[in-house]
Amino acid sequence: QVELVESGGGLVQAGDSLRLSCVASGRTLSNYAVAWFRRTPEKEREFVAAVRRTGGYTYYADSVKGRFTISRNNAENSVYLQMNGLTAEDTADYYCAADSGVILSQLRNPGAYDYWGQGTRVTVSS
């Protein structure tokens, strides 16, 4: 069982940056693929970014590519999402998710992840 706790959300202005953290307990997070999803009233669990279990390969939604960076900190059993150049369209509840058995073709599928955090809210004012 992996427990995930997100933090780092908040209210910022357009153009600002935030770093979201996803801290794991119970298991070693480096043994899991980890993804960030976001949810708005219009979109249910939209894929944002993912890092594979092996090789450190990263993947991004087109809407965030070049602005967001997902990274691991194995010493802190964590995954981060650095978000730069935020816009009002990035306003959402952000969730990290983990699973040890996600295959490459399913990395962007929220249904492929067994473990989820409680979410952290990001609000970007324009």
Side-chain angles (χ1 to χ4, degrees):
Q1 184 80 8
V2 178
E3 294 186 2
L4 304 172
V5 178
E6 302 97 331
S7 63
L11 172 62
V12 297
Q13 293 186 334
D16 285 351
S17 299
L18 278 176
R19 189 180 79 162
L20 305 185
S21 298
C22 173
V23 180
S25 61
R27 292 289 188 271
T28 301
L29 197 56
S30 60
N31 293 329
Y32 294 76
V34 179
W36 286 94
F37 292 86
R38 62 189 182 187
R39 184 169 65 186
T40 66
E42 296 76 28
K43 294 182 180 180
E44 178 68 23
R45 293 193 297 179
E46 176 191 25
F47 170 78
V48 176
V51 56
R52 288 178 64 180
R53 183 172 63 88
T54 57
Y57 299 102
T58 57
Y59 304 85
Y60 298 93
D62 288 343
S63 59
V64 307
K65 199 173 295 183
R67 298 188 299 125
F68 290 13
T69 302
I70 188 171
S71 63
R72 292 186 183 271
N73 184 333
N74 293 333
E76 296 190 358
N77 211 28
S78 300
V79 168
Y80 303 129
L81 184 68
Q82 177 67 42
M83 306 187 296
N84 299 329
L86 287 162
T87 72
E89 287 69 37
D90 297 316
T91 294
D93 292 326
Y94 284 73
Y95 299 85
C96 69
D99 199 279
S100 61
V102 182
I103 59 176
L104 178 58
S105 63
Q106 294 297 309
L107 274 176
R108 300 169 187 258
N109 178 9
Y113 295 85
D114 282 343
Y115 303 105
W116 291 80
Q118 83 292 345
T120 185
R121 179 157 293 179
V122 173
T123 304
V124 185
S125 63
S126 57

